[in-house]
Amino acid sequence: MAYHIDTKCVQAGYDPKNGEARVVPIVQSTTFKYDSAATLGKLFDLEEDGFFYTRLTNPTLSTVAAKIAELEGGVGAMLTASGQAASMLSVTNICHSGDHVVCASAIYGGTFNLFNKSLRELGIDFTFVNPDASEDDINAAFKDNTKAVFVESVSNPSLDVADVELYAKLAHAHGVPLIVDNTFPTPVNFRPFEWGADIVTHSTSKYMDGHAVALGGVIVDSGNFDWTNGKFPAFTEPDESYHGVIYSEKFGKAAYITKAVTHLMRDYGPQQSPQNAFLLSLGLDTLALRMERHCSNALTVAKYLESNDKIDWVNFPGLESSKYYELCKKLMPKGTCGVISFGVKGGREQAMKFMDNLKLAKLVIHVADVRTCALHPASTTHRQMNDEQLEACGVKPNLIRMSVGIENVDDIIADIEQALNNL
Ligand SMILES: *Cc1c(COP(=O)(O)O)cnc(C)c1O
């Protein structure tokens, strides 16, 4: 039976048998015991399913991964130690030295550094395109050695919304998969596979955990991409490190995610801890409820800010004034996320003062958890830049990024109001 997404948040992935724990147990064990060498040998040869070492997987990890796979509508998922590890493995499962990726320029700063510095140093090349670029401009970014396209569905922190349907169409026309970082909307608000994406990644440290307690990431495989089109020999030629297994033949629709586990997680090892997966699973139980409240609170706050004459500008994709309003109505009719950005009149100085005046909203370098928080990039994450440099990278000196929590929205607005009135 096909359940609704809010039911899946509570129930998917774990179906205890007679007498088993009702709540997914934390299997805090690196190793698993077997009666015969022959059975263990079959596990090593990928002839049988089972657990043998937590670096590959573990009952807690696979249960929580199965829940997220169901939420996104994929064939399988792999948890990772962080969102950064998910982004890294999502690309390196496909691309090797000499390959190239087309990537939207509006992405998380950590992902930008990972791609533009660390993966470049490993020989993988990137072309960054404006997320709103025309079809022709995106097409022009593809090269003969392009192996993937990467975008964020709603970008952190600029809140650009990618036309995932268009990016999927262009990626497929070039015979390559589309990877979508879906951290901000979460599958509750947006499911990229329904619009043609092939691979989804998340930093589960954000809304999925939702309480700011456990770092983590996940990669989900739609099972829809055809890896046998001639561009991806790693999927169609024997893997000698696994007795010549051919992933596309042996694992079919789950070729990508199986290779990610058996090859990359085995070799690189950025595994999530069972304890963190358990905390993530508690967060997932309430994800649908929380997202509804984050989105409605954020929209109310954004509308309040838009009507306040001490505010210079407001950026939130749910506002009718947003250039993404129509696209969001189509892709994410339930809402986008709880993060908004706005400018306080009076530039950098007034923005810093506003930050100091906030009482309920706390100053932290994080977004997307239950507690309202705020950040002034010009005086923190981007403080080495002058006003001209800030403008050039799209961060205005007076920009405040606010992650609207699930408190009573009247209290959040009262806090903003007193902070503005005391400027
Ligand atoms: C935070 C974030 C990441 C990185 O995740 P970590 O869990 O901090 O490693 C990647 N993508 C997006 C969109 C993020 O917000």
Side-chain angles (χ1 to χ4, degrees):
M1 174 161 173
Y3 290 119
H4 293 89
I5 190 95
D6 25 11
T7 304
K8 288 183 190 170
C9 282
V10 181
Q11 299 275 358
Y14 183 59
D15 190 10
K17 297 189 191 70
N18 196 34
E20 286 183 353
R22 179 63 193 94
V23 178
V24 55
I26 308 173
V27 179
Q28 197 69 52
S29 181
T30 58
T31 46
F32 299 84
K33 178 254 175 189
Y34 286 92
D35 287 337
S36 85
T39 314
L40 200 49
K42 283 189 182 144
L43 291 176
F44 264 97
D45 284 352
L46 308 179
E47 295 293 334
E48 264 178 33
D49 278 342
F51 304 102
F52 55 98
Y53 194 52
T54 292
R55 173 149 43 75
L56 276 107
T57 187
N58 152 307
T60 311
L61 301 176
S62 77
T63 302
V64 179
K67 177 181 270 197
I68 297 174
E70 273 200 55
L71 290 176
E72 287 286 5
V75 295
M78 176 177 87
L79 299 185
T80 58
S82 65
Q84 285 300 103
S87 304
M88 191 226 350
L89 298 186
S90 74
V91 170
T92 53
N93 200 31
I94 304 169
C95 299
H96 310 123
S97 175
D99 290 340
H100 170 260
V101 179
V102 174
C103 184
S105 59
I107 51 171
Y108 176 65
T111 312
F112 182 76
N113 287 334
L114 166 70
F115 290 175
N116 197 45
K117 178 163 171 59
S118 296
L119 290 190
R120 259 191 216 286
E121 285 171 356
L122 294 180
I124 301 172
D125 187 21
F126 289 82
T127 298
F128 294 96
V129 295
N130 185 312
D132 303 330
S134 68
E135 208 168 315
D136 286 347
D137 286 346
I138 301 169
N139 266 324
F142 283 84
K143 302 181 183 186
D144 288 344
N145 57 343
T146 302
K147 293 290 171 64
V149 177
F150 188 103
V151 301
E152 280 179 19
S153 47
V154 177
S155 67
N156 176 10
S158 58
L159 303 173
D160 287 291
V161 179
D163 187 342
V164 168
E165 192 178 27
L166 174 67
Y167 275 95
K169 185 184 93 178
L170 300 181
H172 296 160
H174 292 270
V176 303
L178 172 65
I179 307 172
V180 176
D181 180 335
N182 197 33
T183 298
F184 267 20
T186 84
V188 169
N189 285 339
F190 181 53
R191 288 176 299 283
F193 297 156
E194 293 174 4
W195 300 92
D198 303 288
I199 310 296
V200 159
T201 64
H202 286 273
S203 164
T204 62
S205 324
K206 309 292 168 50
Y207 288 114
M208 281 192 167
D209 159 19
H211 300 78
V213 293
L215 208 65
V218 68
I219 303 175
V220 192
D221 183 358
S222 68
N224 294 333
F225 190 76
D226 176 14
W227 301 101
T228 66
N229 68 3
K231 277 180 178 266
F232 305 95
F235 290 89
T236 54
E237 287 173 12
D239 178 354
E240 293 313 332
S241 74
Y242 264 117
H243 307 291
V245 68
I246 297 175
Y247 289 100
S248 61
E249 281 180 9
K250 188 157 172 82
F251 301 105
K253 275 184 161 300
Y256 174 93
I257 204 69
T258 308
K259 180 176 170 295
V261 174
T262 60
H263 176 195
L264 299 190
M265 193 56 85
R266 178 197 67 178
D267 293 357
Y268 293 136
Q271 185 59 291
Q272 192 167 118
S273 79
Q275 178 80 39
N276 277 7
F278 174 77
L279 294 169
L280 167 57
S281 147
L282 289 185
L284 291 171
D285 288 345
T286 58
L287 181 65
L289 263 184
R290 287 186 288 105
M291 288 313 290
E292 202 178 308
R293 181 68 167 249
H294 280 295
C295 291
S296 72
N297 277 2
L299 185 60
T300 308
V301 170
K303 284 182 176 162
Y304 162 80
L305 290 167
E306 222 173 23
S307 69
N308 189 305
D309 60 12
K310 297 193 175 70
I311 297 297
D312 197 7
W313 54 270
V314 184
N315 177 22
F316 182 64
L319 286 174
E320 276 181 56
S321 58
S322 164
K323 62 178 168 180
Y324 297 115
Y325 183 71
E326 291 301 325
L327 182 62
C328 288
K329 267 211 308 207
K330 177 174 137 190
L331 300 184
M332 321 176 181
K334 289 203 287 187
T336 50
C337 63
V339 181
I340 60 185
S341 60
F342 55 93
V344 176
K345 280 186 187 160
R348 187 189 288 246
E349 293 307 314
Q350 289 296 78
M352 282 177 78
K353 215 163 153 203
F354 171 80
M355 290 296 297
D356 290 344
N357 288 351
L358 289 171
K359 294 191 167 89
L360 181 74
K362 301 290 190 275
L363 205 176
V364 299
I365 312 284
H366 192 252
V367 286
D369 69 75
V370 290
R371 297 161 211 92
T372 296
C373 62
L375 181 73
H376 178 223
S379 63
T380 53
T381 49
H382 294 61
R383 62 176 291 116
Q384 72 284 5
M385 296 183 183
N386 64 30
D387 286 5
E388 290 71 45
Q389 290 169 321
L390 281 174
E391 294 278 0
C393 74
V395 179
K396 294 198 165 62
N398 67 355
L399 182 152
I400 306 281
R401 182 184 71 183
M402 182 170 274
S403 174
V404 181
I406 63 169
E407 303 92 340
N408 186 299
V409 72
D410 293 341
D411 293 334
I412 300 170
I413 288 175
D415 188 36
I416 295 171
E417 189 152 272
Q418 65 79 25
L420 288 171
N421 289 342
N422 289 317
L423 283 178

